[in-house]
Amino acid sequence: MPTHLVSTIAVKDFGSETLRVGDLNGDGAPDLLFVQSTYGPREITCLTATTIHGDLFWQTGTPAPDNGRLYSDLPVQVYDWDGDGRNEVLYVRQAHYAEVYPEDGWARQRARRYEGHATMVVLEGLTGQERSTFPLPAPADDSFLFADLTGRGRREDFVVKDRYWNMWGVSRDGDVFWHWEGSTGHFPAIADLDDDGRDEVFVGFALIDHDGTVLFSHDPGDGHQDAAYITRLPDGAWRLLFGNHGIHCLAADGTELWHHPLTEAQHVVAGHFRSDSSTQFMVIDRGQRHGPERGQERDPATLYLYDVDGREIWQRSQPAGSWAAALVNINWLGLDSPQAALVYNRGPLEHAAVYDGAGDIVDTFQMQYTSDLHGVDRQYYCTRADVWGDSRDEVIFFGSAGACIYANARPWALPTLYNNTLYPGM
């Protein structure tokens, strides 16, 4: 068998469609953090820490099967926040939504009026005990990413946003450096583009300097950024990519180098997928929805591979029902081999698949938990991380009904292992 089922986790009541990976118990091996939230209000309600085999070692909050469904980009990360060599869990606790927008309906995205402030909560990774808190602007309760905004040489600051309209740069002490208002999209991308030792923030239509200065900005039109990616080419040139109704590639000064008007470019990643050039760009286009209602069938998604100049290398149409198809790059073949792409949500009866740089499917994987204890079908997602310790990424499925992990079972030939000597010099 080319794949190995490392573990299955019957989550019972703490399963979720949001998962973070990191060493929480301090043993040097990655662990899993399951994040539950209320579906409409988006409040984080329960955090559960387990090993990759499902052994639970702490839980905070009250688990509930109905809180395992994802609505939005939940504000929670695993990181060594204080630099002491042990990871913490950071998450944002919402302010009180005193007056909501009636048009939000089932999904509460922001308030007309807040009471109090949002709160960044820092938990001990080993125990889940609360270590510290500090206030944030009341609307700042959507996703956040760590960044070096102060030039300390380590990402000890962060940027945090509301759902779609505002972003703040914040110090590790909770001081707000700057506030930016614009079309934020889902997640920004972060890199030190000008080599001054401090990060810039790319939000899809704008690039913001470490101090909040807007370096460039484009009109978002009627769409928001679904995916953002920053990569540096071997010649030192930066490329900034984002997807909305199409895929856009910008230079560091904001000049658009090329653009393909796709239907809905949901995910974009840069990587070394082929040996004939250093960098290519992989894009998933979710296709066209049929009918006005959310979740109705779409035309099948399409996976594209482009070269750095935007020329299409190949495209692969996904099976019927793949409107939720998603993409991540994965080190599936080994450190000395080209990267691959993990594509999931390829249709209701389709397995997740790893595509190589030639556009061929290398392996497929089946989620072990597609329905809950009551037989109700549940959505699931995928990510990747080297949790098995073989220098290759594993495929991690997770959802409200359960989780499972697959490894590449092909022999991993390391010269220092198959040519072993008493005097190693290889």
Side-chain angles (χ1 to χ4, degrees), residues 303-381:
L303 180 68
Y304 294 90
L305 185 68
Y306 299 103
D307 68 13
V308 292
D309 296 316
R311 290 184 290 262
E312 182 183 308
I313 299 174
W314 50 254
Q315 60 175 273
R316 297 292 183 267
S317 182
Q318 299 301 298
S322 57
W323 65 269
L327 161 72
V328 294
N329 52 352
I330 182 171
N331 173 29
W332 182 249
L333 305 174
L335 292 176
D336 296 328
S337 302
Q339 290 177 293
L342 172 63
V343 183
Y344 57 99
N345 287 349
R346 303 175 62 242
L349 301 177
E350 299 293 334
H351 296 171
V354 168
Y355 284 82
D356 64 15
D360 297 325
I361 294 178
V362 177
D363 288 304
T364 60
F365 315 88
Q366 182 176 6
M367 172 54 154
Q368 298 295 307
Y369 300 94
T370 56
S371 59
D372 62 19
L373 297 176
H374 305 288
V376 178
D377 289 338
R378 292 299 189 193
Q379 180 66 278
Y380 58 84
Y381 296 84

Side-chain angles (χ1 to χ4, degrees), residues 87-370:
N87 281 332
E88 286 77 45
V89 172
L90 292 87
Y91 77 95
V92 177
R93 184 183 295 148
Q94 289 184 344
H96 176 59
Y97 280 52
E99 183 182 350
V100 299
Y101 285 90
E103 62 267 24
D104 274 359
W106 56 272
R108 191 175 70 181
Q109 298 188 23
R110 58 177 172 173
R112 289 184 184 275
R113 183 173 60 85
Y114 297 88
E115 292 179 355
H117 49 72
T119 303
M120 181 66 80
V121 182
V122 183
L123 304 181
E124 182 74 44
L126 176 62
T127 65
Q129 295 297 309
E130 186 174 305
R131 289 184 54 180
S132 63
T133 63
F134 54 86
L136 296 174
D141 60 15
D142 203 73
S143 63
F144 69 92
L145 294 176
F146 299 108
D148 185 355
L149 303 178
T150 50
R152 292 190 178 100
R154 185 175 181 271
R155 287 178 169 166
E156 297 183 351
D157 314 302
F158 60 93
V159 293
V160 60
K161 66 184 196 65
D162 62 8
R163 184 61 178 152
Y164 289 128
W165 306 275
N166 298 273
M167 182 175 294
W168 295 265
V170 184
S171 78
R172 63 167 292 103
D173 301 316
D175 297 326
V176 175
F177 292 135
W178 48 262
H179 166 239
W180 176 81
E181 184 175 358
S183 180
T184 64
H186 289 283
F187 277 89
I190 294 170
D192 179 12
L193 276 73
D194 56 9
D195 292 319
D196 68 348
R198 293 166 294 192
D199 286 326
E200 283 71 54
V201 183
F202 177 48
V203 296
F205 302 95
L207 183 66
I208 303 170
D209 208 351
H210 65 275
D211 60 0
T213 301
V214 178
L215 300 175
F216 68 75
S217 181
H218 294 291
D219 182 1
D222 62 349
H224 66 242
Q225 168 257 100
D226 281 317
Y229 203 101
I230 300 176
T231 189
R232 195 170 200 174
L233 304 181
D235 64 2
W238 291 95
R239 293 293 181 265
L240 289 70
L241 296 106
F242 71 94
N244 57 354
H245 298 313
I247 177 66
H248 306 258
C249 180
L250 311 180
D253 63 0
T255 302
E256 184 166 272
L257 302 176
W258 52 265
H259 164 229
H260 290 289
L262 306 177
T263 302
E264 187 177 358
Q266 186 71 8
H267 291 156
V268 55
V269 295
H272 179 214
F273 300 105
R274 298 167 62 93
S275 57
D276 55 5
S277 61
S278 62
T279 307
Q280 302 85 37
F281 305 129
M282 194 87 74
V283 179
I284 193 81
D285 180 8
R286 293 182 66 182
Q288 179 64 50
R289 182 188 302 152
H290 294 289
E293 299 300 320
R294 180 184 179 90
Q296 287 195 342
E297 186 56 72
R298 297 169 180 249
D299 291 334
T302 303
L303 180 68
Y304 294 90
L305 185 68
Y306 299 103
D307 68 13
V308 292
D309 296 316
R311 290 184 290 262
E312 182 183 308
I313 299 174
W314 50 254
Q315 60 175 273
R316 297 292 183 267
S317 182
Q318 299 301 298
S322 57
W323 65 269
L327 161 72
V328 294
N329 52 352
I330 182 171
N331 173 29
W332 182 249
L333 305 174
L335 292 176
D336 296 328
S337 302
Q339 290 177 293
L342 172 63
V343 183
Y344 57 99
N345 287 349
R346 303 175 62 242
L349 301 177
E350 299 293 334
H351 296 171
V354 168
Y355 284 82
D356 64 15
D360 297 325
I361 294 178
V362 177
D363 288 304
T364 60
F365 315 88
Q366 182 176 6
M367 172 54 154
Q368 298 295 307
Y369 300 94
T370 56

